[in-house]
Amino acid sequence: MLELKNISYGVSDAAVHKEIIKNISLTVGEHKFIVITGPNGGGKSTLAKLIAGIEKPTSGQIIFDGDDITEKGVTERANMGISYAFQQPVRFKGIQVLDLIRIASGRRITPADACEYLSEVGLCAKDYINREVNASLSGGELKRIEIATVLARGTRLSVFDEPEAGIDLWSFQNLIQVFERMQEKNETGTIIIISHQERILNIADEIVVLSNGEICEQGSREEILPGLLGTSSAVDACHKLKLKTY
């Protein structure tokens, strides 16, 4: 499905060069729910953007379904079946929720079809279908509408960058339920989530711990989560991060 081969990414400012991602190799299988976690500033969001094509690596290869997509841009990767959800969803002035879901699906779906996607993310469709995306929507509502567009696309790989960022506790509870349903149905392809949230880590198939631009640990939830929670004797520098528990 997805393979990162010796991926590095750095930025230069005047005479200073900083390596943000350092020679990462990672293989992600079919129909997996992967959570990438780690300390702030460790390179997690950058890695998500590299997968989506928002940034390009300075070295290494990205392989998707057997094709080298290293030099392909966001649009090409989207057309190949990769979705990306931002930390802060983009607001589109003048576009209604129905229009946004239609654009995401790539076809002129009916309002009833769009309502099904909204219901999947716990929104009462009749209250949202004709509302403008740029007006009167809370952060939690925007997050769930963005997830509805990902469901409408039905892509093989969906990447969510800290979906819990900037939303309230009530919206977060609903968000967790959405991800739980996505995982249980296993119909949406592979999901990669960047998160510090213990409850999101709790429903992962696999956890990848990224620190200082490098993968310091990777394995099943049962193998990795106890160390992150401090309930394992094998707690080292790789695990020194604060998980959010709300």
Side-chain angles (χ1 to χ4, degrees):
M1 146 73 76
L2 178 71
E3 186 177 2
L4 308 182
K5 294 183 175 181
N6 305 113
I7 290 294
S8 293
Y9 175 78
V11 293
S12 297
D13 181 12
V16 179
H17 181 78
K18 181 179 180 181
E19 284 291 304
I20 298 173
I21 298 295
K22 304 171 184 175
N23 198 39
I24 282 180
S25 292
L26 174 67
T27 300
V28 177
E30 298 272 4
H31 296 288
K32 294 291 185 180
F33 191 106
I34 312 294
V35 178
I36 300 176
T37 192
N40 290 331
K44 302 182 299 300
S45 291
T46 299
L47 185 61
K49 290 174 181 176
L50 289 168
I51 293 170
I54 296 170
E55 302 286 0
K56 289 187 179 180
T58 48
S59 63
Q61 281 183 300
I62 302 176
I63 309 296
F64 181 65
D65 281 346
D67 293 325
D68 187 339
I69 64 169
T70 312
E71 297 302 319
K72 295 186 183 299
V74 177
T75 301
E76 290 175 288
R77 296 190 196 194
N79 290 334
M80 294 177 73
I82 298 176
S83 293
Y84 178 82
F86 292 86
Q87 281 189 33
Q88 299 298 327
V90 179
R91 293 176 181 265
F92 299 93
K93 188 175 182 179
I95 295 181
Q96 293 182 330
V97 172
L98 173 59
D99 298 324
L100 191 62
I101 295 176
R102 280 176 170 168
I103 292 168
S105 69
R107 61 192 192 281
R108 191 167 180 78
I109 61 175
T110 66
D113 292 331
C115 286
E116 287 188 18
Y117 293 120
L118 290 172
S119 297
E120 279 288 311
V121 297
L123 295 178
C124 180
K126 64 183 177 64
D127 294 337
Y128 289 92
I129 197 74
N130 295 316
R131 288 173 67 177
E132 282 194 18
V133 178
N134 193 44
S136 69
L137 291 172
S138 70
E141 288 168 333
L142 279 171
K143 289 279 188 181
R144 284 189 277 169
I145 288 168
E146 185 176 45
I147 294 172
T149 65
V150 171
L151 293 175
R153 288 202 67 216
T155 48
R156 304 244 300 118
L157 175 64
S158 301
V159 183
F160 296 88
D161 188 3
E162 295 196 30
E164 70 272 13
I167 65 173
D168 56 58
L169 177 59
W170 177 256
S171 296
F172 176 70
Q173 303 286 2
N174 289 320
L175 194 65
I176 289 294
Q177 292 172 8
V178 170
F179 285 131
E180 286 174 339
R181 286 196 296 271
M182 290 173 73
Q183 187 208 37
E184 287 168 6
K185 286 189 173 183
N186 201 23
E187 295 173 350
T188 53
T190 289
I191 299 168
I192 296 176
I193 298 182
I194 309 298
S195 181
H196 293 134
Q197 281 291 344
E198 181 183 340
R199 286 189 61 188
I200 292 179
L201 288 160
N202 258 317
I203 58 175
D205 295 318
E206 297 178 16
I207 296 173
V208 177
V209 183
L210 192 65
S211 179
N212 196 29
E214 300 175 295
I215 293 175
C216 58
E217 198 157 12
Q218 177 183 2
S220 69
R221 175 182 66 246
E222 293 79 11
E223 293 171 327
I224 305 300
L225 191 54
L228 297 177
L229 296 174
T231 57
S232 166
S233 58
V235 178
D236 54 29
C238 183
H239 295 119
K240 290 180 179 177
L241 66 148
K242 274 193 173 182
L243 293 180
K244 297 179 183 177
T245 57
Y246 65 76

